[in-house]
Amino acid sequence: MWTSIREAPLFGHGFGYAYQPAFGPAGKFAATFGQYYAHNFYLWLLTKAGIVGLVGFAIFALTPVARALRSASVEAKASAVLAAMMLIVSVVSPAGESGQGSIVLGMALGAAMAFSSGPATVV
C-alpha cells in the first residue's frame, strides 16, 4: 500500500483500484476481493482517495466528536466515545470499509452531532 500511496499521494487512485495482485484459487476471497481490501482503514483511504480524501474524512468524522465532547449532554459524550472508539478500531479493522461497520460509525457520528446541538425547540 505504501508504494501505491507514493504513486498518487494527493488524490489517490480511486475506489476501484486494486493495490495488490490477486492470489489463491479462483472464486476465493484473496482472488476476488482481497486485492481491494485492507485491515487499516486509513491506509486504505490514503490509497484510494489520497491526502485530500483523508483530510476530508477527518474533518467529517472529528467535527461531531469534538462538538459532542465539549457539550454538557451525557448522551453527546456517550455517542462521541462510541464514535472515537470506532475511529480508533479502524486502524486495525476495516470498520469504515465494511457495510455494517460503516453504518454503526455513521450512526455514532450522527448521534454525536445531534446530541451536541442542544435541545430542539417546539413551537
Side-chain angles (χ1 to χ4, degrees):
M1 292 189 82
W2 290 110
T3 304
S4 299
I5 293 167
R6 280 191 294 275
E7 289 172 357
L10 197 56
F11 295 108
H13 292 278
F15 287 101
Y17 177 72
Y19 63 89
Q20 63 184 355
F23 58 93
K28 297 294 182 182
F29 179 83
T32 55
F33 299 112
Q35 54 190 336
Y36 307 99
Y37 179 85
H39 275 82
N40 186 324
F41 172 69
Y42 303 107
L43 287 180
W44 176 85
L45 190 58
L46 268 173
T47 300
K48 304 293 184 161
I51 294 168
V52 171
L54 183 64
V55 168
F57 177 78
I59 291 169
F60 169 78
L62 296 177
T63 299
V65 172
R67 278 185 61 178
L69 289 176
R70 289 193 330 249
S71 171
S73 166
V74 174
E75 293 87 358
K77 290 184 188 313
S79 50
V81 168
L82 174 62
M85 286 180 358
M86 291 288 295
L87 291 169
I88 292 167
V89 164
S90 293
V91 172
V92 294
S93 171
E97 294 176 56
S98 70
Q100 300 87 353
S102 60
I103 289 172
V104 173
L105 177 58
M107 289 172 64
L109 291 171
M113 187 62 108
F115 285 129
S116 67
S117 63
T121 56
V122 178
V123 179

